[in-house]
Amino acid sequence: MTTLIKLLYVAAVRVLPWNTVNQIGTFGQSLIGLVKYGDFYFPRGMQIEITTHCNRRCYYCPQSVDPAGVREIKMDVYMKWIERLKELNWKGSILFNHFNEPLLCKNLEKYVAIAKKELPHSLISIVSNGDLLTEERVLSLVSAGVFKFTITHHPPFKESWTKRMNELKKKFPSRIHAGTLDKQLLSNRGGLVAENIKQNHRISDAESLSRNGCFYTSGPLNTSIDGDYIWCSADYNKENLIGNVFSASILDSWNSEPWKSLRKKIRNAQPELDVCKGCFGQESRYATSHLYNKGSKQGTERGMSEQTEPTEPRHELSEVK
């Protein structure tokens, strides 16, 4: 079945717009969640925070105003997460993100290879800003078990970046998709970057959430570097944890209360958690209790770090050359 899905994906990306392919995949994964786990809104992917840092400081990301520092996951946490996925007989997407840049991890190929060995029918993906992506890295990661790369081009836009990415896309047309967030509504991440989004003349998705409800929790389920299952991928501060790999299975944590009821409420545009209220544009302790949106000049379109190796994070950043 996984082989068939991969073949259909390769064929689809050659003839259909990326958004159409993505919508078909999302609906298909939701149906699988209903059949296998009894929940149409079961997470469509599983993400693990293998590192905490990023080389960019995009204005719409909390890393721009409060960098997370430099850490790498411990192997016992990672292996326990893999064990939890095996309990699910997981055959869906596996990713390596939580506001971090996975290509900064020198051991990424090792983590990919373990996931591929232990979960051979999973679909392993790399979501990245592409700054460190080269032909050699593509080949090494594909050899380790990566199926596809989803690359987002963040401002400021550099001609050299575009040229390099176009060359990679030509060499690996079915492996690499690259796009921008130019036409998308932006999440304010619980209100943490709401002011930054406004100052850069962009629109958040707060109004849309208030009209249509929120389905962020049905995207990938993020697991933190410490093994905590995070309520929502927008919860940068990891304040709302539904379980931990060492104490509970993913399925038991997912179906536990109050989380199950809270998910239903946000789908009906009735946020109760502070992080959810922030995303909906309501007054929220989640944002105001942290040093965000208080005259910070960080996170503008110039906000990219020239660092590409793990170093101590800094607030004054310059563009990548």
Side-chain angles (χ1 to χ4, degrees):
M1 177 62 75
T2 304
T3 301
L4 177 60
I5 291 174
K6 289 182 178 179
L7 290 173
L8 290 173
Y9 170 83
V10 170
V13 295
R14 292 178 180 273
V15 297
L16 296 175
W18 172 253
N19 285 344
T20 302
V21 174
N22 194 40
Q23 290 171 358
I24 293 172
T26 296
F27 184 72
Q29 288 172 322
S30 296
L31 286 179
I32 291 172
L34 178 62
V35 173
K36 288 187 67 174
Y37 310 113
D39 189 348
F40 185 78
Y41 301 104
F42 193 76
R44 297 188 295 269
M46 295 291 164
Q47 289 196 153
I48 184 77
E49 184 185 29
I50 55 170
T51 58
T52 55
H53 55 300
C54 184
N55 62 304
R56 291 220 178 199
R57 301 292 183 263
C58 303
Y59 66 85
Y60 37 77
C61 175
Q63 287 271 17
S64 66
V65 287
D66 187 27
V70 179
R71 291 178 62 197
E72 183 171 330
I73 197 169
K74 293 182 178 179
M75 187 55 71
D76 65 329
V77 177
Y78 184 75
M79 292 307 299
K80 190 64 180 180
W81 179 70
I82 291 291
E83 181 182 322
R84 294 303 187 186
L85 294 187
K86 292 175 72 174
E87 291 174 349
L88 289 172
N89 189 24
W90 185 251
K91 297 180 181 179
S93 297
I94 291 178
L95 308 100
F96 304 92
N97 301 84
H98 184 70
F99 298 97
N100 62 311
E101 171 48 54
L103 293 182
L104 284 171
C105 180
K106 295 180 179 179
N107 295 312
L108 179 57
E109 280 82 353
K110 181 200 298 186
Y111 298 125
V112 169
I114 291 172
K116 187 63 178 178
K117 178 182 177 182
E118 299 296 327
L119 298 152
H121 301 296
S122 61
L123 302 172
I124 302 174
S125 301
I126 301 297
V127 176
S128 167
N129 59 39
D131 290 347
L132 302 178
L133 192 63
T134 63
E135 181 177 353
E136 292 74 21
R137 199 78 195 273
V138 171
L139 292 172
S140 68
L141 285 166
V142 169
S143 178
V146 168
F147 173 56
K148 67 172 181 174
F149 299 79
T150 300
I151 309 299
T152 304
H153 194 182
H154 300 283
F157 302 117
K158 293 286 186 176
E159 184 177 343
S160 58
W161 189 100
T162 303
K163 180 180 179 181
R164 174 171 53 84
M165 201 54 58
N166 285 339
E167 291 173 352
L168 289 173
K169 287 166 62 178
K170 287 180 181 178
K171 292 180 179 178
F172 307 100
S174 64
R175 298 280 187 185
I176 297 176
H177 168 75
T180 72
L181 301 177
D182 278 358
K183 298 181 180 180
Q184 294 187 24
L185 298 176
L186 299 173
S187 169
N188 65 34
R189 306 303 184 186
L192 299 180
V193 292
E195 189 61 30
N196 281 351
I197 290 174
K198 185 186 299 184
Q199 289 178 359
N200 282 275
H201 309 293
R202 294 293 299 276
I203 301 174
S204 79
D205 60 2
E207 184 178 339
S208 175
L209 295 177
S210 298
R211 289 198 313 268
N212 306 315
C214 176
F215 296 84
Y216 272 94
T217 56
S218 297
L221 175 64
N222 286 23
T223 300
S224 78
I225 200 167
D226 297 310
D228 296 310
Y229 307 131
I230 306 171
W231 152 259
C232 176
S233 59
D235 190 351
Y236 178 72
N237 294 312
K238 309 168 193 173
E239 286 194 2
N240 305 280
L241 309 175
I242 69 173
N244 184 280
V245 294
F246 290 107
S247 59
S249 71
I250 291 174
L251 197 56
D252 285 346
S253 298
W254 176 260
N255 288 321
S256 65
E257 293 291 355
W259 311 111
K260 187 174 183 178
S261 298
L262 289 171
R263 285 195 301 272
K264 183 176 181 180
K265 288 183 178 181
I266 62 169
R267 291 198 298 267
N268 291 315
Q270 299 171 352
E272 290 196 3
L273 295 174
D274 280 320
V275 64
C276 300
K277 290 179 181 178
C279 279
F280 276 72
Q282 301 175 10
E283 185 174 346
S284 166
R285 178 206 57 81
Y286 186 82
T288 57
S289 64
H290 297 277
L291 297 178
Y292 295 94
N293 305 328
K294 295 182 179 180
S296 171
K297 295 182 179 179
Q298 307 305 319
T300 64
E301 285 202 348
R302 65 179 177 82
M304 298 162 52
S305 170
E306 57 188 18
Q307 65 204 50
T308 55
E309 294 294 328
T311 62
E312 287 301 313
R314 61 190 185 190
H315 287 276
E316 290 302 321
L317 304 164
S318 57
E319 295 180 5
V320 174
K321 303 299 182 183

